[in-house]
Amino acid sequence: MSSSENVPLYAKHEPVFPRKVKGKFRSLKWGIMIVTLGIYYLTPWIRWDRGAELPDQAVLIDLANRRFFFFWIEIWPHEFYFIAGLLIMAGLGLFLFTSAMGRVWCGYACPQTVWTDLFIATERWIEGDRNARVRLWNAKWDARKLRLRATKYAVWVLIGLATGGAWVFYFTDAPTLLVDLFTGTAHPVAYTTMAILTATTVFFGGIAREQVCIYACPWPRIQAAMMDEDTITIGYRDWRGEPRKHSEPVKAGEPMGDCIDCMACVNVCPMGIDIRDGQQMECITCGLCIDACDDVMSKINKPRGLIDYLSLDDLPAEAAGEPTKPIWKHILRPRTLIYTALWSLVGVALLVALFIRTDIEMSVAAVRNPTFVTLSDGTIRNVYEVRLRNKHGEARPFELSLKSDAELALTVQGLETGDTTVMAPADDTHFVRVFVSAPAGSAAATADRTPLRFWVEDTINQERAHQDTHFNGTGGF
Amino acid sequence: MSNDTKHNDADVGTTGHEWDGIEELNNPMPRWWVWCFYLTIIWGIGYAIAYPAWPLINGATKGLLGYSTRAEVARDIARVDAANADLVDRLTTVDLTTIRDDAELHGFAVNAGASIFAANCSQCHGRGAAGVQAGGYPNLLDDAWLWGGEIEDIAFTVTHGIRNEQSPDSRYSQMPAFGKDGLLMDDEIESLAHFVLSLSGRDHDADLASEGAPLFMDNCAACHGDAGEGMIEIGAPNLSDAIWLYGGSFDDITTSIHNARFGVMPAWAEEFRAAGGLTPAEVNAVAAYVHQLGSTQ
């Protein structure tokens, strides 16, 4: 049956006024909020000494010079696979946590959740708890409402500014930029970025809130494929709660559940849903309804856990009073083990790559146009374009050499014969043109291809890198 | 047990789509979503008025803001030119023999010279500057230079060219066509060719070569030198080395003696060209580029 004629084009937004709640999951959320926001706001201010020519900011994304600094690690553009690897790990980690414990990312760690939580806490601090906020919402506009709303938005904008501000500090030297921002001499891009991020932070955290999760985020749609009946998620033990007690007197002999329909779980929900309706796409599994319900259960002397983290698989057994599967059996199953294995595999590969990389690197490209040049005395010469990467914070003398069974001589363009040491500038790629010569009539000169290996050595710390290539003789012609 | 109307079929109905019993509810959009949709339409109209948008037969509407990507590119180029103005000034007045001492200027010159070479020189000398033997276009990578391989020699050749009429200072020399013009007989040219082959130690007939030796002294040594070592001042090639502009076989050498072969090169400096000439800075840049390709002089 289609009834589109009767349906309005849009639905009015139903505002959500989450009530304050105390409990272990709320405390956990406070803790995670302090840690995650602390990391985000404070990281750009950590200093890390890298020598005179490199920035001393511990975490810095230097777009202008194409460098990413992370404490003792410096990532160059050609090492972007580290970032790609971390993103793959983040993806696999998300799969792992979702299949094991449902939407814990959504409920505790997602920036949208954390900032919304912060904005709701601010709102509650200024306008009061749920009932006061509902009253204020319905109240006519007067001086008090205007004052409270203005205060709230002012604080929100300040949080937004700090958020956008922290973001731009990751991209340039934070103390310098802070002074520049206040004296009005910072780059327009910094101001624009901060303005946009301030606006989006206030909009997403203060105004849009649960709408982002319900309508904009793809994760609620994907999670269904990640979860199964073993996944630990938030559920309502309806076998225990139903039938609910209502305010009217209960007739003798009528069965009674533990749920007293106090709506505490609904009133604290930041998503504005009723968990007792079962699994819903809107639920971010933040655990606040558990805290609210446990509080009520302790007041009416019933055991906690009417709403709880549970596996849907256990509910029939629980209802029948049979023993349920231990929690580790829910979590340890092929699916989570495979995700863990894949996650570890990528992680170990990245660690190995991190430990075997050197501060000196070389890439050699043989010039193929032409493949060789004949000199006036018959010497056959090949040209190689060599790029030397010096990842140190100061210029270093790099000595080039070659190893080959054939009689080959190396000269560096611009240097005297016999001198093969070039100064590689600090934290840069240095380009040199290198000539390799074989005497007239020698084996390498008359052969088609002769293998050779270029070596480069940092003469200060003896770190070495090499690359294999070929010498082209006249044999191919 | 639910009092949540959002999922209640009776309230919103379905769209009429049904797959294996699964029906699509006709839930309304959130209000902000609908307004965002309308805003994008309004934005689209404004954008089409302000910026180039509607394709017409000759181009497209210009847009009220007068924006064009071409003008943006021109601005970018002007900005880079302004940033390089100092380097270009230094490159114009630099003493080429000392350009290597200024690493920044030399790097700029070599990179600029590479694009100038690709645009103006590679048609004859090849993209890799290896020349084309079939056409007699010299290889610029080796250590043999007809007119000198010092960086100022290269700059002079680029400026004035070779055997052209645009520049009065153009490099000029002319070898007689010994066979075509009847200066030498065919058998004399044959023995002369064998002698020339012997100068660089190539396979030759020793008897014929010894017959050719006096012919060489009479006809060739004035320019090419007694030992065939050539003379850079007049662009006479070295005949005793391993490098042959037109090929080093008996037939190649015979043809060269018979017909005389030489190439020409334009004078690239802007004062000698109606259009497309190189500024002094560009001449110096391309000279620096060519010089670092492999000249050992």
Side-chain angles (χ1 to χ4, degrees):
Chain A
M1 179 204 75
S2 171
S3 61
S4 53
E5 313 83 50
N6 312 326
V7 177
L9 188 57
Y10 56 75
K12 200 165 171 293
H13 173 215
E14 295 294 336
V16 180
F17 303 97
R19 188 169 65 74
K20 191 178 177 183
V21 63
K22 276 186 181 147
K24 56 182 173 182
F25 292 109
R26 181 64 265 182
S27 305
L28 180 63
K29 273 173 75 72
W30 287 132
I32 291 174
M33 184 204 282
I34 289 166
V35 171
T36 50
L37 289 182
I39 290 172
Y40 175 71
Y41 287 122
L42 298 180
T43 302
W45 299 93
I46 306 172
R47 304 287 100 185
W48 191 269
D49 183 29
R50 295 189 184 87
E53 300 199 36
L54 289 180
D56 63 349
Q57 186 155 318
V59 178
L60 178 68
I61 301 158
D62 189 350
L63 292 179
N65 297 310
R66 299 180 191 85
R67 296 283 183 274
F68 171 55
F69 297 99
F70 184 83
F71 295 92
W72 64 96
I73 302 169
E74 180 185 339
I75 303 284
W76 288 35
H78 68 285
E79 294 168 317
F80 199 77
Y81 60 86
F82 280 111
I83 312 292
L86 286 177
L87 288 174
I88 291 168
M89 285 180 76
L92 289 171
L94 210 52
F95 295 172
L96 169 63
F97 274 90
T98 305
S99 66
M101 295 187 286
R103 292 172 63 184
V104 282
W105 164 260
C106 300
Y108 296 90
C110 175
Q112 174 65 25
T113 299
V114 172
W115 260 279
T116 300
D117 223 17
L118 179 65
F119 276 79
I120 290 175
T122 316
E123 183 176 80
R124 186 182 298 129
W125 173 57
I126 292 164
E127 296 183 346
D129 206 355
R130 174 180 161 83
N131 295 345
R133 296 213 300 283
V134 173
R135 276 200 303 279
L136 189 69
W137 177 272
N138 294 321
K140 282 210 167 59
W141 279 96
D142 56 11
R144 179 175 170 276
K145 183 166 179 172
L146 196 66
R147 178 173 56 79
L148 289 175
R149 282 288 153 87
T151 316
K152 179 176 84 173
Y153 275 98
V155 176
W156 280 1
V157 168
L158 284 179
I159 297 174
L161 266 176
T163 306
W167 180 264
V168 295
F169 289 148
Y170 281 91
F171 293 85
T172 185
D173 185 57
T176 318
L177 180 61
L178 184 69
V179 174
D180 288 351
L181 284 173
F182 279 106
T183 53
T185 54
H187 196 277
V189 168
Y191 290 114
T192 317
T193 308
M194 280 182 69
I196 291 171
L197 289 180
T198 305
T200 52
T201 308
V202 172
F203 179 74
F204 288 131
I207 298 161
R209 292 186 185 172
E210 80 286 350
Q211 302 279 303
V212 174
C213 308
I214 298 172
Y215 293 104
C217 181
W219 190 234
R221 279 85 185 162
I222 299 168
Q223 59 147 351
M226 303 287 139
M227 293 170 68
D228 52 33
E229 59 280 1
D230 273 318
T231 302
I232 307 295
T233 186
I234 290 181
Y236 167 61
R237 293 197 160 97
D238 54 356
W239 59 269
R240 210 187 112 185
E242 301 296 323
R244 297 171 198 173
K245 277 181 202 158
H246 292 279
S247 49
E248 62 264 27
V250 178
K251 293 187 197 109
E254 199 173 299
M256 286 187 304
D258 284 353
C259 177
I260 57 170
D261 209 12
C262 65
M263 302 298 277
C265 56
V266 177
N267 290 342
V268 300
C269 181
M271 306 302 292
I273 57 166
D274 187 343
I275 189 65
R276 295 170 300 174
D277 292 344
Q279 298 292 296
Q280 291 153 70
M281 193 201 74
E282 287 87 346
C283 179
I284 58 169
T285 70
C286 64
L288 296 185
C289 49
I290 305 178
D291 282 346
C293 189
D294 284 353
D295 189 37
V296 172
M297 288 297 116
S298 73
K299 280 177 186 155
I300 61 170
N301 292 320
K302 299 275 185 183
R304 68 159 294 280
L306 180 58
I307 301 171
D308 205 356
Y309 273 105
L310 48 80
S311 153
L312 297 180
D313 204 23
D314 284 344
L315 284 182
E318 281 183 6
E322 291 160 10
T324 57
K325 259 208 259 184
I327 193 155
W328 64 269
K329 276 196 178 167
H330 285 304
I331 291 183
L332 293 185
R333 56 205 146 92
R335 181 180 198 153
T336 55
L337 292 177
I338 289 170
Y339 285 144
T340 311
L342 288 174
W343 186 86
S344 314
L345 200 68
V346 180
V348 169
L350 285 184
L351 275 179
V352 169
L354 192 63
F355 279 110
I356 62 172
R357 71 190 202 126
T358 52
D359 288 332
I360 181 171
E361 281 181 14
M362 171 171 59
S363 58
V364 177
V367 173
R368 296 283 182 237
N369 178 17
T371 49
F372 66 87
V373 177
T374 309
L375 300 189
S376 49
D377 64 356
T379 301
I380 299 300
R381 188 168 72 184
N382 280 203
V383 183
Y384 301 85
E385 292 180 340
V386 177
R387 284 172 177 81
L388 303 171
R389 285 188 281 276
N390 173 17
K391 295 184 179 175
H392 290 281
E394 77 273 336
R396 293 262 178 139
F398 280 7
E399 187 180 2
L400 281 159
S401 56
L402 68 79
K403 190 175 183 309
S404 171
D405 297 333
E407 187 188 348
L408 294 175
L410 173 81
T411 48
V412 178
Q413 202 273 322
L415 296 182
E416 297 294 328
T417 308
D419 179 10
T420 59
T421 304
V422 294
M423 278 308 277
D427 193 51
D428 206 354
T429 301
H430 187 55
F431 174 86
V432 274
R433 228 173 132 80
V434 168
F435 305 112
V436 175
S437 308
S442 68
T446 51
D448 182 6
R449 275 152 71 87
T450 309
L452 81 134
R453 168 173 290 187
F454 277 102
W455 279 99
V456 62
E457 179 176 320
D458 182 337
T459 54
I460 291 178
N461 65 2
Q462 273 72 49
E463 235 185 332
R464 282 154 68 89
H466 67 83
Q467 191 178 333
D468 291 327
T469 180
H470 281 90
F471 181 87
N472 291 295
T474 57
F477 285 82
Chain B
M1 69 187 178
S2 166
N3 58 358
D4 184 345
T5 53
K6 272 187 286 187
H7 300 278
N8 193 325
D9 293 22
D11 273 12
V12 297
T14 74
T15 57
H17 303 158
E18 188 249 302
W19 299 270
D20 298 338
I22 300 171
E23 290 183 302
E24 184 183 349
L25 291 180
N26 194 13
N27 277 317
M29 299 285 189
R31 184 167 54 178
W32 60 263
W33 195 99
V34 175
W35 277 110
C36 284
F37 179 62
Y38 291 148
L39 275 175
T40 57
I41 294 173
I42 295 166
W43 174 269
I45 293 168
Y47 190 92
I49 295 168
Y51 284 92
W54 300 104
L56 305 172
I57 291 168
N58 302 314
T61 54
K62 294 272 182 274
L64 291 181
L65 296 182
Y67 172 84
S68 90
T69 46
R70 195 173 285 269
E72 194 169 317
V73 170
R75 262 200 312 280
D76 284 351
I77 293 175
R79 201 184 60 236
V80 174
D81 281 349
N84 285 338
D86 172 54
L87 280 165
V88 172
D89 282 349
R90 276 153 65 195
L91 192 54
T92 306
T93 54
V94 70
D95 174 5
L96 280 176
T97 51
T98 60
I99 190 171
R100 275 186 179 283
D101 301 338
D102 185 341
E104 185 197 17
L105 187 61
H106 187 246
F108 176 73
V110 168
N111 284 323
S115 19
I116 295 165
F117 185 91
N120 298 292
C121 317
S122 62
Q123 293 87 339
C124 295
H125 290 287
R127 188 70 182 81
V132 183
Q133 191 165 63
Y137 302 111
N139 184 333
L140 306 178
L141 301 169
D142 59 29
D143 58 345
W145 293 85
L146 290 170
W147 297 94
E150 298 289 351
I151 190 165
E152 314 97 296
D153 297 332
I154 298 170
F156 188 92
T157 305
V158 173
T159 304
H160 299 286
I162 293 166
R163 297 185 191 94
N164 69 62
E165 292 169 0
Q166 294 109 330
S167 166
D169 296 324
S170 181
R171 307 230 192 237
Y172 212 94
S173 69
Q174 174 78 58
M175 172 172 153
F178 288 97
K180 204 164 64 180
D181 294 345
L183 301 174
L184 291 173
M185 307 308 291
D186 283 354
D187 59 334
E188 291 176 315
I189 290 176
E190 187 186 351
S191 32
L192 193 51
H194 278 284
F195 178 76
V196 170
L197 280 172
S198 75
L199 288 173
S200 54
R202 301 193 152 217
D203 290 340
H204 60 279
D205 183 317
D207 295 339
L208 285 174
S210 60
E211 282 175 30
L215 287 168
F216 186 86
M217 293 306 158
D218 292 347
N219 295 289
C220 316
C223 294
H224 290 288
D226 290 352
E229 72 274 15
M231 199 189 292
I232 276 175
E233 291 73 19
I234 55 168
N238 185 337
L239 304 178
S240 62
D241 64 14
I243 294 172
W244 295 88
L245 184 55
Y246 292 95
S249 71
F250 174 79
D251 288 344
D252 291 329
I253 294 170
T254 309
T255 308
S256 291
I257 300 171
H258 193 273
N259 295 330
R261 294 199 268 200
F262 55 85
V264 295
M265 174 173 154
W268 284 102
E270 55 191 357
E271 68 248 47
F272 304 122
R273 294 174 71 84
L278 304 180
T279 65
E282 287 169 335
V283 169
N284 286 348
V286 79
Y289 169 73
V290 171
H291 187 252
Q292 59 87 50
L293 284 175
S295 165
T296 46
Q297 294 191 7

